[in-house]
Amino acid sequence: MAKVAVILSQLAGDLPAAKESLLLLLPLLLLFLLPLCFSIIRSGRRQGTKKLPPSPLALPLIGHAHLVGAHPHVSLRRLADRHGGEDGLMLLRLGVVPTLVASSVRAAQAVLRTHDLSFASRPQSICGEVLLYGPSDIAIAPYGERWRLAKKLATTHLLSVRKVQSLRAAREEEVALVINKIHGAAETRDAVDMSELLSKFTNDIVCRAVAGQSFRLKGRDRVFRELIDEALVLLSGFNLENFYPGLARAAGGLLTRSVRRKAENLRVQWDRFLDKLIDEHAMEKADGGGSDPECDFIHVLLSVQEEYGLSRDSIKAILVNMFAAGTDTAYQTLEFAMVELMMHQKAMAKLQHEVRSRVPKGQNNINECSLIGMTYLKAVIKETLRLHPPSPLLLPRVSLEDCDIEGFQVPVGTTVLVNAWAIGRDPKLWEAAEEFVPERFIQNEEINKGIDFRGMDFQFLAFGSGRRMCPGINFGLASIEIMLANLVYHFDWELPKGVDKIDMTEVFGLIVSRKEKLFLIPKTDMAPCAF
Ligand code: HEM
């Protein structure tokens, strides 16, 4: 019993309130879980001789949840190496939830291509239901017509190549602001908080595209940052409610009351924020402003609201998605790229040489035209995404029907995780798999088109693949490329005095981040930007 209490407290993660209520509720929890366990054993027997994917030994009640730890992508790779089959499939039970883990190219292809439709939905949770209005968003909405429509709207009116190109001036302006701020720090030889600068930059780009304004201008950026952070923590998935979804219904939701309350409180704050934004846009439209409905994404959504039968809640859900999915993915990629370049000074020098040699004399910044042909820049970004995919397990999927994968039975309702991080570092697929070697993506001085992250190569899945693949690739890459090119063009970089190593400890979540902020000292003899 004491051991179970310790394990359950680990499941509650770092949240002290969750730990407290868990330990208090332990006896009640056991009362509800025992019948559940018997029903799982009974259903196991009913499945009789059907072959399930291999599993490690499970504990009663807990299943394999205690094996997941603080860095699930890392521990799942270790487990798959030891207990998974040759085809890279492993079945775990996280609490009471059957969870299929795909850790090889073959397994990923089976899930994301061959059986894409069977796995096209997402597991549901209280936090998702509350924070994403149903959910009626794109990223965690169940598969169906509403999801298809929302994704089509975002893809067509915000994330298409044409739309992304039209945001070029906004990106160049935001880059200039960041670069000029760093020039200020370079004069005084101060260390720059790169984490803050880069996360604000990617956030400002998304806000300008979605809401037509940077939240910095109205002083809303801090509140907004906090809202995103809190939402990502609640939605991150590896928590008690996701391991025991039946608890959400048991005893009138008594055991999950605390997490529901947290999500509801946060949603009130999101509501306040989003309602204000939407009202401002509606007023602008009524006053005859915003006459071009394509001028930002909120105007687009308002202009098609009736035609597509979009409720205000659906609009809010889509907006939360864009803000949350678009900000930290690009920011973390930029930060990890700078970290890897700092740790690999030869790669930094090579990138600086490429970037600096391609800019015509007299031009004191890199604009988007200058990026064409910057092969090494693109290779650095690809290599960063291979080693540090921001969502290392993609977003979880759930099976909509019983299916047969590589000769194994996968029952309906099974959660599916694809360990893109493990596949990207598999020594059977990549030479010097753990090393940062951008050159691996270059062939005959051109970017190697053979291995790409656009969903066709299952050894490189930073953006996922199939129906639920990321629609924001072009949007994200455009911000990353222009920012990284300018950072290394304008400055030479040093670690702050007394720091000789960069701490790579990660914090797991929907988007993995580095635990420590990145501080760097910029040096330059160039003039500030003038876009
Ligand atoms: C470096 C940048 C980015 C990376 C690495 C990334 C990665 C991912 C991944 C791994 C998924 C899950 C795919 C799957 O389950 O197969 C995803 C989904 C998604 N991403 Fe991104 N993303 C990035 C940028 C963006 C941006 C800029 C946006 C929008 C502004 C965005 C919006 C979405 C949405 C809406 C989904 C859900 C798609 C669905 O469920 O149908 N992402 N992204």
Side-chain angles (χ1 to χ4, degrees), residues 28-61:
L28 201 56
L29 195 62
L30 290 176
L31 210 68
F32 284 112
L33 289 177
L34 282 175
L36 259 175
C37 271
F38 287 127
S39 94
I40 287 169
I41 292 166
R42 269 206 311 275
S43 82
R45 283 194 189 133
R46 268 202 310 274
Q47 282 180 355
T49 53
K50 282 181 185 168
K51 196 171 144 202
L52 294 170
S55 303
L57 215 61
L59 286 180
L61 301 177

Side-chain angles (χ1 to χ4, degrees), residues 166-432:
S166 76
L167 291 163
R168 174 185 157 170
R171 271 189 303 273
E172 289 179 349
E173 249 175 70
E174 293 297 329
V175 167
L177 280 173
V178 174
I179 294 296
N180 290 346
K181 220 179 241 175
I182 302 177
H183 269 283
E187 268 173 33
T188 50
R189 309 266 305 138
D190 283 335
V192 174
D193 182 344
M194 299 298 285
S195 308
E196 186 172 331
L197 268 189
L198 297 177
S199 77
K200 279 193 172 162
F201 162 72
T202 54
N203 191 234
D204 283 340
I205 297 282
V206 175
C207 293
R208 284 185 69 158
V210 172
Q213 54 185 268
S214 152
F215 293 162
R216 179 177 20 87
L217 298 178
K218 291 192 177 167
R220 292 172 175 167
D221 51 341
R222 197 182 47 80
V223 179
F224 185 54
R225 183 67 254 175
E226 284 167 12
L227 289 180
I228 292 184
D229 287 347
E230 286 177 38
L232 287 176
V233 168
L234 283 177
L235 291 168
S236 76
F238 280 89
N239 58 43
L240 188 75
E241 187 239 332
N242 297 77
F243 290 170
Y244 302 98
L247 291 180
R249 292 182 296 276
L254 179 70
L255 300 179
T256 48
R257 200 167 279 170
S258 143
V259 76
R260 182 179 283 280
R261 205 172 24 229
K262 261 191 209 128
E264 283 170 354
N265 288 343
L266 184 59
R267 170 151 154 194
V268 171
Q269 296 175 55
W270 267 107
D271 271 334
R272 216 175 287 142
F273 190 85
L274 294 170
D275 279 327
K276 202 164 180 190
L277 264 185
I278 296 172
D279 289 343
E280 281 169 8
H281 278 73
M283 266 157 56
E284 203 179 304
K285 195 172 160 210
D287 291 347
S291 52
D292 172 12
E294 290 284 334
C295 65
D296 69 45
F297 191 49
I298 299 184
H299 276 304
V300 170
L301 292 175
L302 290 177
S303 70
V304 299
Q305 185 171 12
E306 258 176 51
E307 184 187 345
Y308 289 100
L310 283 178
S311 67
R312 192 168 176 105
D313 278 358
S314 308
I315 292 184
K316 287 196 268 189
I318 298 171
L319 293 179
V320 174
N321 251 202
M322 294 301 108
F323 289 133
T327 296
D328 280 8
T329 44
Y331 146 54
Q332 288 300 335
T333 307
L334 268 169
E335 185 172 304
F336 271 116
M338 282 304 284
V339 166
E340 289 291 359
L341 289 168
M342 290 306 294
M343 295 195 304
H344 298 89
Q345 284 296 318
K346 272 192 185 156
M348 173 70 97
K350 203 165 165 180
L351 180 59
Q352 283 177 321
H353 175 72
E354 173 177 272
V355 167
R356 289 172 184 174
S357 63
R358 285 185 186 253
V359 175
K361 272 210 161 64
Q363 187 178 311
N364 72 341
N365 56 280
I366 307 272
N367 59 32
E368 292 201 1
C369 288
S370 327
L371 296 177
I372 298 164
M374 287 196 188
T375 309
Y376 200 67
L377 174 76
K378 292 182 172 105
V380 163
I381 294 168
K382 274 179 108 169
E383 183 67 340
T384 304
L385 284 164
R386 179 185 73 84
L387 286 172
H388 308 285
S391 301
L393 299 174
L394 308 184
L395 295 179
R397 303 188 178 211
V398 69
S399 57
L400 291 165
E401 56 191 359
D402 288 342
C403 50
D404 185 316
I405 294 209
E406 307 284 303
F408 294 115
Q409 276 298 313
V410 177
V412 61
T414 302
T415 294
V416 182
L417 302 174
V418 177
N419 197 339
W421 177 84
I423 298 171
R425 289 172 179 242
D426 184 343
K428 293 194 281 307
L429 303 169
W430 304 92
E431 215 181 303

Side-chain angles (χ1 to χ4, degrees), residues 143-154:
Y143 180 69
E145 211 32 60
R146 213 159 56 165
W147 160 80
R148 206 191 317 273
L149 172 69
K151 191 160 186 176
K152 189 173 145 205
L153 278 172

